[in-house]
Amino acid sequence: AKDIGRNSFRFFSSEQHQQIHSRYQLGNDLLQALTEDQFELYYQPKVCAQTKCPVGAEALLRWKHPSLGFVSPDQFIPLAEDIGLIDKIGNYVLCEAAKQGAQWANEGIEVPLAINVSAKQMLDPNLAKRIINELEYEKLPPHLFSIELTETSFLHCLEETQITIKELRSTGIQVAIDDFGTGYSSLSYIRNMALDVLKIDRSFLINIEQSDIDRTIVSSIIDMSQAMGLKVVAEGIETDAQFRRLQQLNCDQIQGYLFARPMPALEFIDWYKRQQS
Ligand code: C2E
Ligand code: CA
Ligand code: CA
Ligand code: CA
């Protein structure tokens, strides 16, 4: 028993140590990633549910770690929030996306772009001004830009958040609620906030063909949102059956591997042009 105890303790201890070390290490690496140009934005198209025409894109951040390869944003974004780097990283995303959108607009192809903004970034009272200034600097029309917020953004400093959203929307920048349905009191947010777009979380769409309940929920979300003047995007669509079902339920836009994965800028714009012609 003593042996097992010692072994299991040692095993646990070293694994824990490794975890702490790697998280700490990864945090340090993250700081370097910014200065050493290891980030890149990928773009995933959104298409019109009725015509399949591309109607815009979401910018998704990629980190190519020098020894680990690609690290998932689901891993490094929460870490960046914890160690106080999210504002810097968020600023990179903003500047990069605005620059890219402006470049495409100059080349004659207008691609409405969305960036993800984390709840921690919403605590910055100057966020709206920084976004507006950046678009002005790049001469990117605000109607070509939107931000995606998760419900966590509405948990803290509701008043500040409301002011930021109002300021952005007054210029024509659109605001989307992301991962809709996964939070605790989703309905109260859409009742109290003026927003433009609602993105239904993938978890409600995966079994839309098999589950009557999920289909009912999605159908109700779409009807309710549209009655309130929101555009509805279904995300994470991978099969044609899912797509046709959402088309039938009158969903506005679709995003998912069925159409395209997130792609580097050059590959994305090639794809986008091909679909338009
Ligand atoms: P999200 O905003 O909900 O983004 C959608 C995620 O689903 C992306 O994962 C995308 O690649 C993936 N996806 C798209 N279509 C499909 C599909 O058909 N099937 C499946 N299984 N997945 C699909 P990604 O790029 O790994 O990003 C994960 C999350 O990390 C994002 O979730 C977002 O919360 C966060 N994130 C990514 N980039 C940024 C960023 O620039 N800033 C912030 N604050 N968060 C970001
Ligand atoms: Ca998103
Ligand atoms: Ca989402
Ligand atoms: Ca998500």
Side-chain angles (χ1 to χ4, degrees), residues 102-162:
Q103 189 194 317
W104 285 331
N106 284 336
E107 292 168 5
I109 174 160
E110 291 192 339
V111 184
L113 287 183
I115 61 167
N116 291 284
V117 171
S118 97
K120 284 259 166 70
Q121 289 175 265
M122 290 300 283
L123 299 176
D124 171 7
N126 292 314
L127 181 69
K129 284 203 184 55
R130 287 198 296 107
I131 295 176
I132 293 163
N133 286 342
E134 192 58 34
L135 301 193
E136 266 173 15
Y137 174 77
E138 295 290 355
K139 301 193 173 58
L140 181 66
H143 74 269
L144 291 179
F145 207 75
S146 60
I147 65 166
E148 297 186 359
L149 304 174
T150 59
E151 292 167 16
T152 328
S153 290
F154 305 112
L155 282 179
H156 317 287
C157 293
L158 198 62
E159 235 166 288
E160 277 290 344
T161 301
Q162 237 157 350

Side-chain angles (χ1 to χ4, degrees), residues 196-214:
D196 303 283
V197 176
L198 184 149
K199 299 187 79 173
I200 305 177
D201 193 67
R202 191 173 96 88
S203 56
F204 293 101
L205 304 164
I206 293 177
N207 294 315
I208 195 163
E209 281 308 290
Q210 298 78 25
S211 159
D212 291 346
I213 295 178
D214 286 3

Side-chain angles (χ1 to χ4, degrees), residues 41 44 58-62 72-74 77 81 86 89-90 93 115-118 121 148 150 178-179 199 201-202 235-238 255-258 260 262:
L41 283 184
Q44 186 182 35
E58 174 178 3
L60 292 155
L61 189 58
R62 294 291 175 262
S72 163
D74 279 328
I77 294 287
E81 290 180 332
I86 193 64
I89 292 176
V93 171
I115 61 167
N116 291 284
V117 171
S118 97
Q121 289 175 265
E148 297 186 359
T150 59
D178 205 351
D179 300 347
K199 299 187 79 173
D201 193 67
R202 191 173 96 88
E235 50 176 7
I237 299 309
E238 296 181 357
Q255 193 180 348
Y257 295 168
L258 176 64

Side-chain angles (χ1 to χ4, degrees), residues 42-48 52-58 60 62 202 234-239 243 254-264 267-275:
Y42 275 38
Y43 298 87
Q44 186 182 35
K46 299 173 186 175
V47 306
C48 168
K52 297 190 182 181
C53 284
V55 289
E58 174 178 3
L60 292 155
R62 294 291 175 262
R202 191 173 96 88
E235 50 176 7
I237 299 309
E238 296 181 357
T239 69
F243 173 74
I254 311 279
Q255 193 180 348
Y257 295 168
L258 176 64
F259 293 97
R261 290 181 177 257
M263 296 171 273
E267 201 180 311
F268 166 80
I269 202 66
D270 274 353
W271 183 94
Y272 205 84
K273 285 176 184 161
R274 270 205 313 277
Q275 304 299 310

Side-chain angles (χ1 to χ4, degrees), residues 10 23 51 80 92:
R10 221 198 273 149
R23 194 173 155 82
T51 65
Y92 167 86

